[in-house]
Structure formats: structure tokens, C-alpha cells
Amino acid sequence: MKKTLVAYFSASGVTRRRAEELAKAADADLYEIVPKQPYTQKDLDWRDRSSRSSRENADASARPELAGAPIDVSGYERIYLGFPIWWGIAPKPINSFIDAHDLAGKDIHVFATSGGSGVERAVRSLQQDYPALSFKGGKLVHGTIRKDIF
């Protein structure tokens, strides 16, 4: 049996709820990706081009520092990677997480929450940024997550 990890970033709590449901349904361990500097409502204002999230999104090299120690992913074969979609792609804390962990040889399944965007562009962007990693597609999740999400 493959050991599974659900790693997620949630700015407002929506993705957290879906991640918790997925971890329970998949009998997986749960790890929250937490930025060292939490995002405020002002930081998340997508209409403000000077907001923190807007500036990070515009900078391909942005990698917000994460709080806490990295998790040892060596024992996991499958990783569910969850996040809210910002501007059609993953928020930069996801890049920080990927950069800080050796995910080579892992099956990575993306799940995302969104108020209007699909998940396909976010998955393609991650595949382009990390071509050596094995992304197995993605799902946009809204309601309660079942075990058979992927």
C-alpha cells in the first residue's frame, strides 16, 4: 500500500476543509503549507495590483518563506498537493514548498479550490516549472471530497 500525504496551502480556510476531507477519505497524513508571514485580507486583494499576492504572482521567481520545518517526504509515494487558484495558477507558497522538498519519484496529484478558474492551467504551469516531477493531473474540488477523487 502506498503511503500518502496531503500537503496544502489555504489562505481563507476553504482549501483547508477540502484537504482535511481528502486526508480522511484517503487515510493520508496531513501537512499544512504555512507562509512565515501570513496573508492578510489586504494582501489577498486581487483587484489591487500592489497587493502582496498580486506582486508575488507577477514575479515568477517569488518564493515566500515558509514557517516551520520542512516535512520528511521520503516515505511517501503519493502526494496530493492542494491550493486555492490565484490568477489561474498555484499561489507562490506552493513553489516554496516544492523547492524545499525532494518530490522526485513521487506521484503528485493536484487538487484546487477556485471561485471561477479551472485547474488545468495551474497544473500545466507546475509541469512547466518542474518538468522532472510527476504531476498526475488535477481536480477542481467544490463539495465534500470522496476517496475516489483521483
Side-chain angles (χ1 to χ4, degrees):
M1 177 179 251
K2 293 182 177 183
K3 190 170 176 190
T4 303
L5 174 68
V6 174
Y8 72 95
F9 165 70
S10 184
S12 67
V14 173
T15 306
R16 174 181 295 114
R17 287 189 293 280
R18 301 293 86 86
E20 290 169 347
E21 292 168 357
L22 178 56
K24 183 176 179 181
D27 192 27
D29 294 334
L30 188 64
Y31 177 81
E32 184 176 9
I33 300 165
V34 179
K36 186 170 185 175
Q37 178 185 351
Y39 288 88
T40 66
Q41 288 294 25
K42 185 175 179 178
D43 291 336
L44 298 173
D45 185 355
W46 58 272
R47 294 169 302 227
D48 180 358
R49 299 186 100 181
S50 66
S51 73
R52 176 179 165 201
S53 58
S54 295
R55 288 190 324 270
E56 288 176 357
N57 183 68
D59 179 0
S61 66
R63 299 294 187 270
E65 187 175 354
L66 299 179
I71 185 171
D72 179 4
V73 296
S74 63
Y76 296 99
E77 294 181 46
R78 177 183 297 132
I79 297 177
Y80 291 107
L81 185 60
F83 50 84
I85 294 179
W86 292 357
W87 294 270
I89 61 174
K92 296 303 180 176
I94 294 298
N95 297 88
S96 298
F97 173 80
I98 293 171
D99 290 350
H101 296 84
D102 181 7
L103 302 181
K106 313 290 182 199
D107 289 341
I108 305 168
H109 301 268
V110 171
F111 70 98
T113 57
S114 175
S117 298
V119 71
E120 299 80 13
R121 181 173 167 221
V123 173
R124 280 193 312 273
S125 178
L126 288 170
Q127 289 169 329
Q128 290 171 351
D129 289 348
Y130 303 96
L133 297 182
S134 180
F135 290 95
K136 301 294 186 184
K139 296 276 185 179
L140 192 61
V141 296
H142 293 288
T144 301
I145 293 181
R146 301 178 322 268
K147 185 175 184 173
D148 62 347
I149 183 174
F150 289 96

